[in-house]
Amino acid sequence: MSYSPDGQHQPYRSEGQYRQQPYGTSYAQPYESQQRQPPYGPPQPHHGEQEPEDVRRPRRGRRWLMAGVSFLALAGIAAGVMWHFEIPPFTDKGKDVSFGKPAASGKGATGAKQDPNSKALMPTGPAAEFKNSMTLNDGTHVAVTVLDGKKSGFKGKVWVWAPKEYNDPKFAKSGFPVLIALPGGAGYPNNYWMGTDLGLQTSISKWYAEGKSKPFLLAMPVLNPSGDEKGIYWDGSDIPGQPKMGTWLTEDVPDLMKANFRTIKSRDGWAFMGSSTGGFASLKSVLKHPDKFKAAICSGPDVVPDSPLWKGHDKEKTENDPGTLAKALVDKKGPEVYLAFQVGDNENNKKTLPDVQKWIATYGKGPVHTSMRVIPNGQHNAKSYVPSMGEGPIQFISKVMEGPVE
């Protein structure tokens, strides 16, 4: 059956029906000739006739070609889907990543003893097992390991990243500065800075190329030992009776970086950054351990400890208050620390900006050096904070930090 434009079924007409025209034989012959020799392409067979072999072969070839093209297109789509959902073998996620060859014990990567006059610290070992989490367009890797913290007793994930300069032969003997990046929110089971959608890694490479930033190594640990479904978090601190998250962040994570990377011996190569509760932990960590860390970028931070887990532990809570710690530094006249604050003018908590401004006015003196950036139309999220870091905060800390150094 064939179909007419109005949708009614029409009977299929045989060749004879076409040839018995009401206008006679003289009209039928040129019509037949026209039907048998169409002007565009090879002659078409009449109904019931078999096509010549030389016509069928090209047509079969075209069908095979179209089938092949369709197969390749479907295969490409399937590969793209498998890559998107990280299904082997179309992804390198989970593969081993080596950032060098740390020694098995307290010797450098070459087996030689550390040069006591060098500012750089060669990897001390033992080597951690890093698995690729994602590969960036420049070939660098965000990798993850499970760190069993020897000093805190806490076991959790840490993501790491090294800029492409780390593998540049001209920096083969150089130590690199480390930036410990802390998330807000639960900070568990993932640290959102390890995802490339926020652009932290690519931004650091860009800022370094523009002369704004050091080529930081990134350490991105989990912030809390579990989620915050009940509004519970640990303030990046050693709260009595709780997992020692302060020791985890300021001892175990730096030890991991020293074991596996070429770092810097002095505090001039160590800094924190974080947003929201991670901003508080960054601020507090530098002020509590100014002998180990020199700078921090604090985005939309809390400025006082407010975890409900401090209940019944007022003394320890005060000892982890950034204001108390800053005042002690001012009274002792050092060591000097550098704190770059940034807050959006459209934060959901309207107290964040005035609280930070008041904190700076009260404690930003003497050895406590501060800078403040108000982000136009900035909100309380990492998508506001990362671009803004390149407009002042990253320069502020990079000017006082070292690296790469030998």
Side-chain angles (χ1 to χ4, degrees), residues 163-180:
K164 62 183 180 181
E165 288 77 18
Y166 186 79
N167 291 315
D168 189 325
K170 73 178 180 180
F171 294 126
K173 297 181 180 180
S174 297
F176 279 66
V178 175
L179 190 60
I180 300 173

Side-chain angles (χ1 to χ4, degrees), residues 136-259:
L136 279 65
N137 290 336
D138 63 0
T140 59
H141 302 282
V142 177
V144 64
T145 191
V146 177
L147 172 62
D148 190 354
K150 303 304 180 185
K151 296 176 180 176
S152 68
F154 174 71
K155 186 175 183 179
K157 289 183 178 181
V158 182
W159 289 262
V160 299
W161 174 79
K164 62 183 180 181
E165 288 77 18
Y166 186 79
N167 291 315
D168 189 325
K170 73 178 180 180
F171 294 126
K173 297 181 180 180
S174 297
F176 279 66
V178 175
L179 190 60
I180 300 173
L182 305 180
Y188 181 92
N190 294 321
N191 178 324
Y192 56 58
W193 296 117
M194 62 82 176
T196 57
D197 56 324
L198 297 173
L200 178 60
Q201 294 83 4
T202 53
S203 293
I204 287 175
S205 294
K206 174 177 175 288
W207 295 330
Y208 175 64
E210 294 172 347
K212 296 179 178 180
S213 173
K214 299 294 184 184
F216 289 103
L217 297 166
L218 286 181
M220 298 163 278
V222 295
L223 178 61
N224 293 313
S226 65
D228 63 352
E229 293 84 0
K230 298 181 180 180
I232 295 176
Y233 45 95
W234 280 254
D235 273 343
S237 302
D238 291 355
I239 301 175
Q242 298 293 328
K244 296 182 178 180
M245 302 313 293
T247 299
W248 159 260
L249 296 175
T250 61
E251 297 279 352
D252 291 330
V253 172
D255 285 349
L256 172 72
M257 299 303 288
K258 292 174 184 177

Side-chain angles (χ1 to χ4, degrees), residues 4 12 15 41 55 98 113 121 128 130 141 197 221 261 340 344 348 360:
S4 63
Y12 189 92
E15 178 189 1
V55 174
S98 174
K113 292 183 179 180
L121 179 68
F130 289 108
H141 302 282
D197 56 324
F261 293 90
N348 55 338
I360 292 173

Side-chain angles (χ1 to χ4, degrees), residues 41-42 44 51 54-70:
Q44 304 298 309
E51 289 181 322
D54 61 342
V55 174
R56 293 201 304 271
R57 284 177 181 171
R59 287 191 175 181
R60 283 199 295 266
R62 286 196 296 272
R63 286 197 294 270
W64 279 108
L65 177 61
M66 292 177 66
V69 171
S70 299

Side-chain angles (χ1 to χ4, degrees), residues 9-31:
H9 296 296
Q10 300 293 325
Y12 189 92
R13 292 176 291 180
S14 68
E15 178 189 1
Q17 288 176 290
Y18 279 110
R19 298 179 72 177
Q20 294 173 0
Q21 300 294 331
Y23 301 103
T25 304
S26 60
Y27 182 82
Q29 286 179 343
Y31 179 82

Side-chain angles (χ1 to χ4, degrees), residues 24 57 67 87 96 115 151 155 187 192 242 260 298 304 323 346 353 366 378 385:
R57 284 177 181 171
I87 301 174
D96 292 339
D115 182 352
K151 296 176 180 176
K155 186 175 183 179
Y192 56 58
Q242 298 293 328
N260 291 275
C298 310
V304 295
N346 194 27
L353 181 56
Y385 299 143

Side-chain angles (χ1 to χ4, degrees), residues 261-290:
F261 293 90
R262 303 187 307 275
T263 57
I264 296 173
K265 292 178 180 178
S266 76
R267 74 186 191 108
D268 294 340
W270 295 85
F272 274 89
M273 65 153 281
S275 56
S276 194
T277 57
F280 168 85
S282 298
L283 173 64
K284 194 272 311 236
S285 295
V286 172
L287 290 168
K288 193 173 181 67
H289 302 283

